Amino acid sequence: MRIFADENMPLVQQFFRQFGEVSLFDGRNVSAAQLQDADILLVRSVSNVNAQLLQHNTKLRFVGTATIGMDHIDQSYLAARNIAFSSAPGCNAQSVVEYVLSSLWCLADKYQWQLADKTVGIVGVGNIGSRLAKALQALNIKLLLCDPLRARNEADFNHTDFTQLCTEADIISFHTPLINSGSDATKHLLNAQTLAQLKPDCALINASRGAVIDNNALLQDLSRAATRRAVVLDVWEQEPNILTALLPYVDIATAHIAGHSIEGKARGTEMLYQRCAALLQQPLQQQLQQLLPVPAMEKLQISANFGLPDVQNLARLLYDVRRDDAILRHYLQSKGFDWLRKSYPPRREFSSLQLCGKVIPDFLPQLGFSLAQ
Ligand SMILES: NC(=O)c1ccc[n+]([C@@H]2O[C@H](COP(=O)([O-])OP(=O)(O)OC[C@H]3O[C@@H](n4cnc5c(N)ncnc54)[C@H](O)[C@@H]3O)[C@@H](O)[C@H]2O)c1
Ligand SMILES: O=C(O)[C@H](O)[C@H](O)COP(=O)(O)O
């Protein structure tokens, strides 16, 4: 069995060698000729899997993307060819939540906000949005939730229409898939018209897909003297060739790495491994927990005096998004967007640090921290 995998898929050899020979490729530049012998194809978000890429391959049995987003996969084409497909739902959801929390704390420091006075609008309340909602509730932050699909299917879902959310939120965080057309389309959900409805100081966070915000319209908006909004962008239109004119207006700019914690990426590989093992009717020989590196900090003692104001310091032990903003601003021009992603420095999730103590406040597990056994 021949397995072809993106070179940026951690632990892929360790997981997949059980099924056959693993060959690696550069995901952004992979060609149809390279993949003609693949039985199993494992990609990330930078490879468009479609008729053109698979034109020379007649034996493919499985395509997996170690990502949550699936907008780069032509699923109808795979179904028509009877090729099994899987994404990795939720694999890096906690990583994105930690990115958003770190961004909020940085903005709160920079602009001296009291986060408890802010209303955060979450647009897209799936794996990431609902975890984020739980974390923000733990921090006593007021929420508005917008998810028309959930509103249609769940009678008790407390939905706020996007237009209303735009006028009422102090901060909006986007967590929808990229949907190009139809009544729930998210492409350019935030555009010149919807931007004009926001409060002049409404902050924006986008860690979903770049095209959910019309980047040119955002640039126009941010260039206006009347606009005073803080902006965090992890995702951009036309990656890797991003609109660099936005950078001076953006408080935190990163290279589509919100989901790139060590756990988030490796969980994606493991989920595809489990799916492949089921498809090939093979036993599971590997487990992520055994393959993850030992974290630099394993245990921390919490005293009875630990309170909500201490959470920010605790979280910063593990991740501070300003590191990634600084790296982008320093290296984007000389090394490029894809290099920033490929050489992303290690980041562990909150759960890697086990908290010990007689009484651990409830908000810590709600934020994703784990308790020592
Ligand atoms: N920046 C990163 O590194 C990174 C990492 C992971 C995921 N993502 C992106 O984040 C997206 C969301 O991830 P998830 O795991 O929460 O996905 P999910 O599928 O679990 O949830 C998406 C939610 O968005 C809702 N939705 C769809 N259309 C909507 C609309 N028009 N308005 C409001 N809500 C809408 C869906 O009903 C669903 O509940 C992914 O599709 C991916 O594109 C980015
Ligand atoms: O959709 C996702 O899961 C994320 O956007 C993912 O982190 C993208 O990262 P990539 O696959 O490009 O490394």
Side-chain angles (χ1 to χ4, degrees):
M1 179 117 350
R2 296 210 57 192
I3 298 134
F4 282 70
D6 187 297
E7 64 193 1
N8 294 323
M9 200 168 295
L11 302 176
V12 71
Q13 293 280 2
Q14 289 91 327
F15 277 118
F16 279 86
R17 63 183 165 218
Q18 171 186 341
F19 309 135
E21 183 195 338
V22 180
S23 309
L24 304 181
F25 59 79
D26 167 359
R28 185 81 73 184
N29 298 308
V30 64
S31 69
Q34 272 175 287
L35 299 180
Q36 63 182 357
D37 292 330
D39 300 288
I40 291 173
L41 173 62
L42 307 172
V43 297
R44 306 202 64 84
S45 73
V46 294
S47 304
N48 290 317
V49 180
N50 50 28
Q52 196 191 344
L53 187 69
L54 302 181
Q55 61 185 303
H56 301 314
N57 186 305
T58 52
K59 56 199 290 243
L60 197 59
R61 292 182 63 182
F62 176 77
V63 171
T65 181
T67 60
I68 293 177
M70 297 178 283
D71 43 290
H72 53 296
I73 309 284
D74 186 341
Q75 288 187 63
S76 336
Y77 173 74
L78 295 183
R81 278 192 50 187
N82 215 12
I83 298 169
F85 167 69
S86 181
S87 64
C91 63
N92 52 39
Q94 181 63 23
S95 178
V96 177
V97 169
E98 293 177 17
Y99 174 96
V100 174
L101 290 174
S102 181
S103 299
L104 288 172
W105 284 319
C106 289
L107 294 178
D109 277 354
K110 185 171 174 181
Y111 296 109
Q112 290 299 294
W113 296 343
Q114 293 302 318
L115 285 175
D117 295 342
K118 299 284 183 192
T119 297
V120 175
I122 300 180
V123 183
V125 193
N127 275 303
I128 298 172
S130 52
R131 267 178 197 243
L132 179 63
K134 188 174 158 199
L136 297 182
Q137 274 160 350
L139 299 174
N140 296 327
I141 295 173
K142 290 180 281 298
L143 296 178
L144 295 172
L145 304 179
C146 167
D147 194 317
L149 288 89
R150 286 192 60 180
R152 286 201 290 275
N153 295 319
E154 298 170 42
D156 60 348
F157 181 75
N158 192 7
H159 172 71
T160 300
D161 177 69
F162 183 64
T163 317
Q164 187 188 341
L165 182 142
C166 282
T167 59
E168 292 181 8
D170 300 309
I171 301 167
I172 303 180
S173 197
F174 289 91
H175 300 289
T176 65
L178 178 62
I179 304 172
N180 286 310
S181 56
S183 56
D184 295 314
T186 59
K187 183 171 180 193
H188 291 183
L189 188 59
L190 198 61
N191 52 38
Q193 202 187 341
T194 44
L195 275 160
Q197 291 162 351
L198 302 178
K199 294 182 183 178
D201 58 354
C202 172
L204 299 171
I205 302 177
N206 190 11
S208 61
R209 282 292 180 265
V212 171
I213 300 182
D214 178 338
N215 283 201
N216 282 303
L218 180 64
L219 180 59
Q220 291 294 315
D221 171 79
L222 297 174
S223 323
R224 286 189 305 121
T227 308
R228 302 181 308 277
R229 62 182 93 268
V231 177
V232 176
L233 292 182
D234 179 53
V235 289
W236 310 74
E237 281 199 286
Q238 270 132 37
E239 295 171 14
N241 303 310
I242 68 171
L243 183 60
T244 49
L246 275 170
L247 284 175
Y249 299 103
V250 172
D251 295 79
I252 298 168
T254 53
H256 195 155
I257 49 65
H260 278 193
S261 66
I262 288 186
E263 288 87 347
K265 279 181 91 170
R267 230 179 260 127
T269 317
E270 186 190 38
M271 288 169 97
L272 299 185
Y273 164 73
Q274 290 170 342
R275 183 67 202 277
C276 250
L279 184 79
L280 303 172
Q281 298 183 311
Q282 294 227 13
L284 292 175
Q285 292 179 354
Q286 301 294 343
Q287 271 195 327
L288 180 59
Q289 216 44 44
Q290 266 78 58
L291 297 172
L292 279 176
V294 175
M297 293 173 286
E298 283 189 288
K299 287 201 170 143
L300 189 84
Q301 185 77 31
I302 295 292
S303 84
N305 287 337
F306 192 96
L308 259 188
D310 301 303
V311 169
Q312 193 172 340
N313 286 335
L314 175 60
R316 279 200 179 132
L317 282 177
L318 291 146
Y319 183 50
D320 187 334
V321 70
R322 286 175 296 193
R323 172 196 78 171
D324 296 337
D325 169 76
I327 295 175
L328 180 136
R329 289 181 202 275
H330 194 81
Y331 288 111
L332 179 66
Q333 208 186 355
S334 58
K335 307 267 196 187
F337 194 84
D338 281 342
W339 178 89
L340 293 166
R341 310 191 73 222
K342 211 173 259 190
S343 21
Y344 188 61
R347 158 156 69 112
R348 297 307 295 256
E349 290 184 2
F350 293 169
S351 65
S352 67
L353 183 62
Q354 295 182 41
L355 303 180
C356 322
K358 285 207 182 91
V359 186
I360 305 280
D362 285 346
F363 57 78
L364 286 170
Q366 280 173 258
L367 289 167
F369 288 95
S370 63
L371 312 187
Q373 304 298 328

